[in-house]
């Protein structure tokens, strides 16, 4: 799969060092304007006032654009409401993800691959641990992701990572670090969202190109909320990993899906999953990654 590679070449050039503001209050950040800033394509994107809590990501022939959280976090529940590019979005990718940076980076992704008008987006999920990715699972949306805002949440704690869409878990990646399967548990991550031109691979393997006559392509973001442990350097690793009441996202009810969630996820997997790396024997030449043999939920 090409997506991870192009993704990182882009970010290599696009990421600027961010200004970290010194919040001292609780582990909650709200308001888009207060907690994120643009790191790319500023000239044509905007954060629309504090009241609206709304931001736009714009792609035109000059550039894409992206935002980044000022803070980095280690574990927590990170939410964004997103309304994707409507109409003919073929060749565009809108991404929402956590990313640590560094040579052996960790990363947890939602990527929305556009399509021609009337054809479904692909929701791609992936996870990188210590620099290694290639763990894609993909879904067709069961709703029109361009008609309204939908809630994309990444719940990340020492037990597992859960990808939620409108409160429905669509994927779980469990921590089997003790059995030498890599897990993102030591590197803090910032929250990113961006839109970019991926027409060399994103839609039907690159066959469908961006129709620039339809530019600008605009995705909208709303109500960013990171209820997450703020990372303040290596000393905060143990603070963030501790199962204290402040770190509620790591408490027992959040260490495993409940049975109602499990039922919903199984229904989504059965009806809407379109790709699972753990079933792609050909790609891995018969040697599937270790986590594919472990129960994930
Ligand atoms: C978004 O989804 C998460 C996970 O289900 C949930 O905790 C949160 O309350 C939701 N946020 C909104 C604004 O609905
Ligand atoms: C891994 O092993 C350590 C030591 O036995 C234990 O404290 C920890 O809870 C284990 N982690 C997981 C995710 O099972
Ligand atoms: C776009 O629509 C076509 C036809 O329904 C489908 O095969 C494809 O998977 C869709 N998504 C992308 C990203 O190409």
């Amino acid at each position: 799969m090409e997506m991870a590679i192009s993704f990182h070449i882009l970010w290599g050039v696009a990421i600027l060092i961010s200004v970290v503001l010194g919040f001292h209050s609780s582990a909650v950040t709200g308001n888009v304007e207060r907690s994120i800033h643009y790191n790319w394509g500023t000239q044509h994107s905007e954060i629309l006032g504090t009241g609206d809590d709304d931001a736009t990501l714009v792609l035109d022939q000059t550039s894409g654009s992206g935002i980044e959280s000022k803070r980095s976090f280690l574990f927590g529940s990170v939410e964004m409401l997103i309304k994707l590019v409507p109409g003919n979005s073929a060749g565009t990718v809108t991404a929402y993800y956590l990313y640590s940076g560094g040579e052996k980076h960790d990363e947890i992704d939602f990527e929305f691959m556009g399509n021609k008008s009337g054809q479904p987006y692909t929701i791609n999920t992936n996870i990188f641990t210590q620099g290694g990715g290639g763990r894609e699972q993909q879904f067709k949306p069961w709703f029109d992701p361009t008609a309204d805002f939908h809630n994309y949440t990444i719940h990340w704690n020492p037990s597992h990572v859960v990808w939620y869409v409108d409160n429905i878990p669509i994927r779980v990646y469990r921590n089997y670090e003790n059995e030498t399967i890599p897990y993102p548990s030591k590197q803090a991550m910032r929250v990113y969202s961006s839109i970019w031109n991926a027409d060399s691979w994103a839609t039907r393997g690159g066959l469908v190109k961006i129709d620039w006559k339809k530019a600008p392509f605009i995705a909208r973001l709303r109500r960013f909320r990171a209820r997450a442990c703020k990372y303040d350097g290596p000393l905060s690793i143990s603070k963030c990993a501790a199962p204290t009441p402040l770190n509620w996202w790591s408490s027992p009810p959040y260490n495993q899906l409940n049975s109602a969630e499990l039922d919903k996820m199984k229904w989504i997997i059965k009806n809407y999953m379109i790709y699972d790396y753990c079933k792609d024997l050909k790609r891995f030449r018969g040697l599937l990654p270790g986590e594919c043999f472990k129960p994930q939920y």
Side-chain angles (χ1 to χ4, degrees):
M1 292 240 155
E2 300 298 314
M3 58 191 79
I5 299 158
S6 4
F7 199 53
H8 281 111
I9 292 171
L10 253 177
W11 277 107
V13 295
I15 289 175
L16 302 176
I17 293 170
S18 81
V19 183
V20 179
L21 290 188
F23 288 116
H24 292 291
S25 54
S26 73
V28 179
T29 62
N31 195 295
V32 172
E33 193 174 53
R34 215 167 7 106
S35 42
I36 60 182
H37 60 175
Y38 285 96
N39 56 3
W40 181 32
T42 326
Q43 73 279 7
H44 60 196
S45 296
E46 55 181 335
I47 290 178
L48 303 163
T50 46
D52 220 351
D53 236 18
D54 215 347
T56 58
L57 295 176
V58 178
L59 168 68
D60 63 21
Q61 254 170 314
T62 67
S63 129
S65 57
I67 52 152
E68 147 182 71
S69 65
K70 293 171 182 171
R71 276 270 174 191
S72 64
F73 307 97
L74 186 61
F75 305 126
S77 186
V78 182
E79 302 169 34
M80 187 79 86
L81 305 189
I82 305 175
K83 188 176 175 187
L84 295 173
V85 174
N88 183 356
S89 58
T92 70
V93 169
T94 304
Y96 169 58
Y97 60 107
L98 309 182
Y99 174 64
S100 67
E103 214 165 288
K104 298 209 154 193
H105 76 280
D106 290 343
E107 176 178 325
I108 303 169
D109 298 316
F110 269 113
E111 287 173 301
F112 308 96
M113 293 143 71
N115 217 333
K116 295 209 278 198
S117 297
Q119 298 187 6
Y121 266 78
T122 292
I123 302 176
N124 181 50
T125 62
N126 199 1
I127 179 166
F128 287 69
T129 52
Q130 287 110 62
R135 298 186 175 90
E136 296 88 356
Q137 286 185 353
Q138 301 184 337
F139 304 82
K140 260 194 312 208
W142 52 96
F143 51 89
D144 177 358
T146 71
D148 210 341
F149 288 88
H150 291 269
N151 175 355
Y152 302 94
T153 293
I154 295 170
H155 197 102
W156 170 40
N157 68 28
S159 301
H160 62 188
V161 175
V162 185
W163 288 254
Y164 284 95
V165 177
D166 293 331
N167 303 307
I168 300 178
I170 62 167
R171 176 174 184 181
V172 178
Y173 183 88
R174 268 204 101 69
N175 185 348
Y176 287 108
E177 227 173 1
N178 285 349
E179 301 175 49
T180 70
I181 291 167
Y183 188 80
S185 63
K186 293 178 187 65
Q187 305 192 75
M189 300 202 253
R190 285 181 207 282
V191 186
Y192 295 84
S193 185
S194 59
I195 187 169
W196 37 287
N197 171 1
D199 73 1
S200 62
W201 57 267
T203 306
R204 298 202 187 187
L207 289 177
V208 187
K209 299 298 176 193
I210 289 187
D211 179 2
W212 290 111
K213 290 197 295 290
K214 300 283 180 343
F217 300 97
I218 300 177
R220 298 183 186 281
L221 310 176
R222 186 175 277 178
R223 254 183 262 160
F224 166 60
R225 185 160 70 140
R227 296 179 291 167
C229 186
K230 292 175 186 171
Y231 182 77
D232 299 303
L235 283 179
S236 50
I237 291 182
S238 58
K239 173 192 85 175
C240 290
T244 60
L246 262 182
N247 297 335
W248 59 266
W249 47 82
S250 299
S251 64
Y254 294 94
N255 291 343
Q256 199 143 18
L257 300 186
N258 63 40
S259 63
E261 288 181 317
L262 209 51
D263 285 349
K264 287 184 194 161
M265 186 170 71
K266 286 180 177 162
W267 185 77
I268 295 293
I269 289 174
K270 179 161 175 261
N271 294 292
Y272 294 96
M273 184 186 256
I274 52 176
Y275 177 79
D276 180 2
Y277 75 113
C278 280
K279 301 228 161 77
D280 198 343
L281 283 163
K282 197 168 147 217
R283 173 180 177 195
F284 294 98
R285 298 194 176 84
L287 295 170
L288 292 174
E291 69 272 12
C292 295
F293 300 97
K294 299 285 177 191
Q296 297 298 328
Y297 44 83

